[in-house]
Amino acid sequence: MAQKIIIIGAGPCGLGAAWRLSELGHREFTVLERNSYPGGLAASFTDSEGWTFDIGGHVIFSHYPEYDRILQEILGKQLVSHTRKAFIRTQGKWIPYPFQNNVRHLSPEALLECLVGLAWAGNQPHSPRNFKEWIRATFGHGIAKHFMEPYNEKVWGIPLELMDFNWISERVKTVDFEKIMRNVIYKKDDDDWGPNAKFSYPKFGGTGEIFRRMAKALLDYICYNSEVVEIDVKNKRLKLEDGSEMLYDSLINTMPLNEFVRRCSGLKEDVRKAAQKLVHNKGIMVGVGIRRRIRPRRSWVYFPDPSVPFYRVTYLTNYSSHVAPPDHTTFIAETTCRSDEGDPGDPVSQTVEGLVSAGLIKEDDKSRLAATWSHTVEYSYPIPSLDRNANLEIIHPELERFGILSRGRFGGWVYETGNTDHAVMMGFEAAEKLLNMRKETVFPFAASTD
Ligand SMILES: Cc1cc2nc3c(=O)[nH]c(=O)nc-3n(C[C@H](O)[C@H](O)[C@H](O)COP(=O)(O)OP(=O)(O)OC[C@H]3O[C@@H](n4cnc5c(N)ncnc54)[C@H](O)[C@@H]3O)c2cc1C
């Protein structure tokens, strides 16, 4: 008899797993999704007037031909390519991203601090113990002070001394001193670094359209409004919020790993303790629609200054004019809170005031406010804390012993492979692993990848 596979969550990872199982002709599977809609953190919401908002700026840049193939199959020409135009807004200036390559735009004093710091960093032994020390050792005190430290403190919402730096890889541009000096001396902008220098975005429906279409093709297998509340790992049985129970042979989990372990019975105490130590932050996403076309060809902007409430703002109508009524402009602002912090009083007005003070909109645009939207996500960034790897190395192998693959951004608790393309692929590979087809390559903590 074919093994019965249950997938918890119809976000990108759960849908990736379901897509692959279906493609391989495996029919004995069910996706259980707590929400009434698919997409998880990558969902989009369209209101009755046609405004579409994503949960933060979600752009598509894929590392995997398998994901490219799915995107082509479901969206084809409705997936539109863009060249990134990203900036850092600080000291009243627009500094092209990445900051370290474009320090020539800073004031002379700040530029000097950055260059002296870079020269110092180049001559230091490099053995940092945490993310903060890594920043100092890599960039020197100037870039640390003017961008890297204040920006990262805003995004992560925890002291940088409490974070590891082994996740960095392609997520943070490091230093090419000669190139930086050349850019300063020859007054050159250098803004095409990184895997998302080119990205794509659906013409209609926001990023969530990808996952709506994947879910539509899998409709017969997905149960919405089905929250998993208990998992008996020894008897391979789970319980839903409505009291019904289901048996499985193998389980792919994509709900946050700490929540999942809390809901499991039959796991060892050290697994429970390790799961309690996982650290995350929460995110407040605010969408603002303005009744005029705001022209600059910006994709998104980073805000290191503590006086500005958000850390990043996306010009969503520059990705697709169809996310708003004609000749209107949509911004999406992202703000971080600690996981135990309450929401700020009125995030929408704080965002609108922040957009004015940062110079993205004018004071009189407040009278052209045509739409607002806000959405809090309790789990926004899985934080690579100092002991995260050690905890994941306790949890994941033990779950796998019980036929459970916990994957995805929060299911795996990985920021470094926590984007939509990674999430879909983690699901894809989990499905193949359960059918004994291949080892996993994307999820770094899989029991059998070493
Ligand atoms: C602010 C922000 C910006 C981002 N920007 C980008 C970007 O530009 N590009 C990019 O590629 N990625 C981006 N990402 C990452 C992207 O959102 C994730 O890669 C992706 O959503 C992870 O998919 P997942 O399936 O692992 O998890 P999720 O999307 O979290 O899906 C998990 C699913 O499980 C469901 N669930 C939870 N608990 C239960 C339960 N008990 N029972 C049943 N169902 C349950 C949830 O409702 C959810 O649908 C961003 C993320 C954030 C937060």
Side-chain angles (χ1 to χ4, degrees):
M1 253 192 14
Q3 60 169 321
K4 168 79 183 172
I5 299 173
I6 290 188
I7 300 166
I8 304 180
C13 185
L15 291 173
W19 187 275
R20 189 60 178 146
L21 288 173
S22 162
E23 230 171 25
L24 292 168
H26 189 89
R27 301 278 170 258
E28 281 297 306
F29 73 92
T30 303
V31 183
L32 301 172
E33 168 56 54
R34 175 178 65 177
N35 292 334
S36 56
Y37 55 86
L41 286 168
S44 305
F45 304 88
T46 300
D47 71 14
S48 55
E49 290 173 25
W51 294 91
T52 297
F53 298 103
D54 293 345
I55 302 176
H58 264 81
V59 297
I60 303 305
F61 51 103
S62 162
H63 298 72
Y64 307 106
E66 290 93 333
Y67 186 44
D68 293 335
R69 178 170 59 74
I70 298 175
L71 290 171
Q72 275 314 309
E73 195 175 322
I74 59 174
L75 283 172
K77 290 204 170 84
Q78 288 183 15
L79 193 65
V80 181
S81 299
H82 298 273
T83 299
R84 183 190 65 210
K85 286 277 164 210
F87 295 84
I88 293 97
R89 181 78 167 136
T90 183
Q91 302 181 5
K93 298 176 190 304
W94 299 96
I95 298 170
Y97 169 85
F99 182 88
Q100 49 273 41
N101 281 8
N102 297 294
V103 284
R104 73 181 188 88
H105 290 271
L106 293 168
S107 66
E109 307 80 59
L111 173 59
L112 186 62
E113 281 182 297
C114 290
L115 294 180
V116 170
L118 280 165
W120 171 87
N123 289 314
Q124 294 304 305
H126 201 104
S127 51
R129 287 165 300 175
N130 56 52
F131 187 34
K132 186 168 181 136
E133 289 187 3
W134 180 85
I135 289 174
R136 292 266 162 167
T138 308
F139 300 101
H141 64 278
I143 290 177
K145 170 178 153 191
H146 292 291
F147 179 60
M148 287 298 290
E149 285 181 6
Y151 178 71
N152 278 291
E153 275 158 13
K154 279 177 87 174
V155 174
W156 296 101
I158 70 164
L160 305 183
E161 298 90 314
L162 303 181
M163 288 177 64
D164 204 347
F165 60 91
N166 293 323
W167 51 274
I168 279 153
S169 173
E170 64 172 26
R171 292 292 200 151
V172 182
K173 170 82 182 98
T174 53
V175 164
D176 178 342
F177 187 59
E178 186 180 330
K179 197 173 187 191
I180 293 172
M181 291 303 284
R182 279 179 174 278
N183 295 341
V184 172
I185 291 166
Y186 296 109
K187 299 188 171 26
K188 182 176 177 298
D189 282 348
D190 182 353
D191 62 357
D192 61 357
W193 175 80
N196 60 9
K198 299 249 183 267
F199 64 89
S200 50
Y201 191 79
K203 192 168 179 181
F204 303 103
T207 295
E209 185 64 16
I210 298 168
F211 305 103
R212 263 194 299 274
R213 292 196 189 188
M214 282 179 80
K216 197 170 167 199
L218 295 161
L219 194 62
D220 292 346
Y221 299 97
I222 304 177
C223 305
Y224 291 106
N225 305 307
S226 299
E227 177 167 354
V228 176
V229 291
E230 279 175 34
I231 307 99
D232 173 350
V233 300
K234 288 191 175 141
N235 295 306
K236 298 195 169 190
R237 186 168 53 212
L238 55 76
K239 195 176 191 183
L240 299 179
E241 202 182 25
D242 65 6
S244 58
E245 294 193 340
M246 296 173 85
L247 292 169
Y248 61 84
D249 298 308
S250 303
L251 189 60
I252 297 176
N253 169 60
T254 73
M255 82 159 96
L257 185 57
N258 58 349
E259 298 264 350
F260 177 77
V261 168
R262 199 177 305 136
R263 292 170 192 217
C264 284
S265 60
L267 290 174
K268 289 193 295 197
E269 196 48 32
D270 63 337
V271 174
R272 294 190 175 287
K273 284 197 177 135
Q276 281 164 13
K277 290 183 196 152
L278 296 173
V279 186
H280 68 100
N281 61 23
K282 79 177 187 184
I284 298 165
M285 314 298 153
V286 173
V288 172
I290 302 287
R291 207 178 302 111
R292 83 176 166 97
R293 190 81 185 98
I294 296 175
R295 292 283 166 206
R297 267 191 58 227
R298 294 177 195 129
S299 312
W300 63 83
V301 183
Y302 300 105
F303 297 88
D305 300 354
S307 59
V308 178
F310 32 75
Y311 62 85
R312 180 167 59 177
V313 170
T314 293
Y315 287 65
L316 201 65
T317 26
N318 283 350
Y319 301 173
S320 165
S321 58
H322 298 280
V323 296
D327 292 323
H328 288 51
T329 303
T330 305
F331 297 96
I332 298 194
E334 297 164 36
T335 303
T336 294
C337 297
R338 286 193 326 270
S339 57
D340 57 355
E341 213 176 327
D343 285 5
D346 181 356
V348 171
S349 6
Q350 285 175 21
T351 298
V352 173
E353 291 305 330
L355 290 173
V356 173
S357 69
L360 275 73
I361 61 173
K362 298 182 191 148
E363 179 69 31
D364 64 5
D365 281 325
K366 287 194 214 161
S367 64
R368 299 189 191 92
L369 210 57
T372 60
W373 170 87
S374 80
H375 187 92
T376 299
V377 287
E378 291 301 325
Y379 288 81
S380 189
Y381 283 66
I383 300 183
S385 52
L386 289 172
D387 60 355
R388 181 203 65 166
N389 291 9
N391 290 321
L392 295 182
E393 277 156 14
I394 294 171
I395 302 166
H396 286 294
E398 186 62 8
L399 292 181
E400 289 195 35
R401 252 179 17 91
F402 290 105
I404 300 168
L405 303 182
S406 192
R407 301 290 183 262
R409 183 178 176 94
F410 277 103
W413 213 274
V414 276
Y415 172 70
E416 56 273 50
T417 53
N419 270 346
T420 51
D421 62 328
H422 304 117
V424 168
M425 269 314 287
M426 278 188 266
F428 216 80
E429 290 192 339
E432 293 189 350
K433 182 169 178 168
L434 292 181
L435 301 188
N436 292 318
M437 290 176 60
R438 67 158 150 168
K439 287 187 175 180
E440 295 175 274
T441 59
V442 180
F443 180 58
F445 298 93
S448 53
T449 43
D450 46 348

